[in-house]
Amino acid sequence: MAKQNTVFKDAFNRCLKLLAETSTLPSEPELGQVLGVSRTTVRAILARCEELKLIIWDKRRKIVLRRPEPSDYFPTEETNSLAEIIERSFMRRILAGGAEPGMQINELELAREIGTGTTSVREFLIRFSRFGLIEKRPNSHWVLKGFTREFALELTEVREMFELRSAASFVDLPEDHPAWEELKTIEAVHRAILADIDKRYKEFSELDERFHLLVHKSSSNRFIIDFYDIIAIVFHYHYQWNKANSRERNARALEEHLAYIAALQSRDPKQVDQACRRHLKSARETLLQSIP
């Protein structure tokens, strides 16, 4: 399970929630469908449940012995949502192939690599295909159509509208809202990376995603938050498509983020608007430079 341990841990925790609500568990295929994982992962989950004396597992019979306790669960920080795992595995596969138009993606191979069910992978690919970057072909195959300059310009235009709206909402959050504390934590990580930029500049991509997602969530608009998933896939992986001058580029973006964070903390709408626009303009230029 080492290869995709996060899939196992996330599914195991969700299985424990089922155990907390019922005295029986469904069959292995049904449990796999409910949890969105492969039968191999289901069997690993059942084996751990038996090891913890949560159940007796005898072929098809699964008898619940006790309700789960907090100590039975894996810590939250050790798990990722299945959607996050699929997204990152998908992007790793694309990047490994050079992200060239015409590249084939097989949902069965991707599901096997992640250790999850094909249904979950297919749902992700269908959702991703709405934006025209991949196209369905027969026999569980998908084809990467390519990332064009026109697509990038359209995406940045929508991103800018959404983020300006979200940033304006952020300053209106109450003082005791947890987003302010998270913003302080994110600011500290920015400073720590800048202090050791030569060794840690590659950490920027995930931090970038974390920061902008926090801003978008403040909008409390489900459509903005949902669309951000696609923004993240394109904007926060393009740094890996073009590795030229990545240290300098990431250092500059970290500085821009800190100015943006300071503006948010000031709660001054004018400062926030200026800092947000300045950073989004820079992000657009960087994205366009990464396109051949």
Side-chain angles (χ1 to χ4, degrees):
M1 298 304 299
K3 185 178 181 182
Q4 286 295 338
N5 210 23
T6 49
V7 173
F8 166 71
K9 291 179 178 180
D10 174 69
F12 179 79
N13 282 359
R14 288 185 286 118
C15 184
L16 291 196
K17 291 179 181 178
L18 292 178
L19 277 176
E21 300 168 357
T22 182
S23 58
T24 60
L25 284 175
S27 67
E28 290 176 28
E30 290 173 324
L31 189 57
Q33 189 170 9
V34 169
L35 298 176
V37 295
S38 65
R39 186 173 292 189
T40 300
T41 304
V42 167
R43 288 172 179 165
I45 289 169
L46 294 175
R48 181 170 175 83
C49 286
E50 188 174 39
E51 180 184 334
L52 294 174
K53 301 190 185 312
L54 287 161
I55 65 170
I56 293 175
W57 179 30
D58 181 17
K59 296 182 179 179
R60 295 186 179 182
R61 294 173 65 246
K62 294 176 280 294
I63 302 170
V64 178
L65 297 177
R66 64 177 178 86
R67 296 289 187 234
E69 298 174 357
S71 60
D72 295 319
Y73 291 82
F74 285 106
T76 303
E77 61 269 20
E78 293 184 16
T79 66
N80 289 306
S81 71
L82 185 58
E84 289 174 327
I85 294 166
I86 293 172
E87 174 190 311
R88 286 170 184 168
S89 298
F90 170 71
M91 289 309 303
R92 277 198 300 269
R93 178 170 282 248
I94 284 183
L95 291 168
E100 294 292 334
M103 173 186 172
Q104 290 199 358
I105 303 153
N106 186 297
E107 63 188 42
L108 297 175
E109 291 178 2
L110 186 57
R112 192 178 303 116
E113 177 183 305
I114 297 169
T116 188
T118 55
T119 300
S120 300
V121 170
R122 188 177 300 119
E123 287 174 354
F124 169 80
L125 293 172
I126 289 171
R127 181 167 169 271
F128 191 72
S129 69
R130 292 180 298 162
F131 296 87
L133 280 177
I134 59 173
E135 185 176 84
K136 183 76 172 69
R137 296 291 170 83
N139 301 322
S140 303
H141 278 79
W142 297 76
V143 173
L144 184 67
K145 295 183 68 176
F147 185 71
T148 65
R149 187 178 183 84
E150 290 73 22
F151 181 93
L153 288 170
E154 290 174 16
L155 186 69
T156 54
E157 184 177 1
V158 177
R159 180 201 186 184
E160 288 162 13
M161 288 190 293
F162 282 176
E163 182 141 352
L164 286 166
R165 167 71 176 78
S166 299
S169 298
F170 201 103
V171 299
D172 292 329
L173 293 174
E175 290 184 10
D176 60 350
H177 194 284
W180 291 111
E181 196 61 37
E182 173 67 3
L183 188 64
K184 286 183 183 178
T185 301
I186 289 174
E187 179 186 16
V189 178
H190 275 74
R191 296 192 185 282
I193 293 176
L194 270 174
D196 194 16
I197 190 66
D198 288 338
K199 294 180 180 178
R200 300 185 61 182
Y201 70 91
K202 292 181 181 179
E203 296 177 33
F204 173 72
S205 184
E206 287 190 15
L207 182 61
D208 190 40
E209 180 178 351
R210 180 179 173 186
F211 170 57
H212 286 286
L213 180 58
L214 179 68
V215 174
H216 279 257
K217 281 183 174 178
S218 71
S219 68
S220 297
N221 184 309
R222 73 189 71 180
F223 299 104
I224 289 178
I225 296 168
D226 181 65
F227 180 76
Y228 182 75
D229 288 345
I230 301 300
I231 292 175
I233 287 173
V234 175
F235 272 89
H236 304 127
Y237 285 98
H238 83 273
Y239 292 101
Q240 299 177 56
W241 296 350
N242 178 14
K243 293 181 171 59
N245 303 315
S246 55
R247 180 204 174 281
E248 293 75 12
R249 185 178 65 224
N250 290 0
R252 184 173 63 252
L254 284 162
E255 296 282 6
E256 289 176 2
H257 274 192
L258 286 171
Y260 190 173
I261 289 169
L264 291 169
Q265 292 170 333
S266 76
R267 291 178 176 268
D268 182 336
K270 186 175 180 180
Q271 286 188 44
V272 170
D273 185 80
Q274 290 175 344
C276 181
R277 289 181 186 277
R278 186 161 50 247
H279 177 57
L280 291 175
K281 179 183 177 183
S282 177
R284 175 195 289 203
E285 291 171 353
T286 303
L287 178 63
L288 292 176
Q289 287 170 6
S290 73
I291 303 170

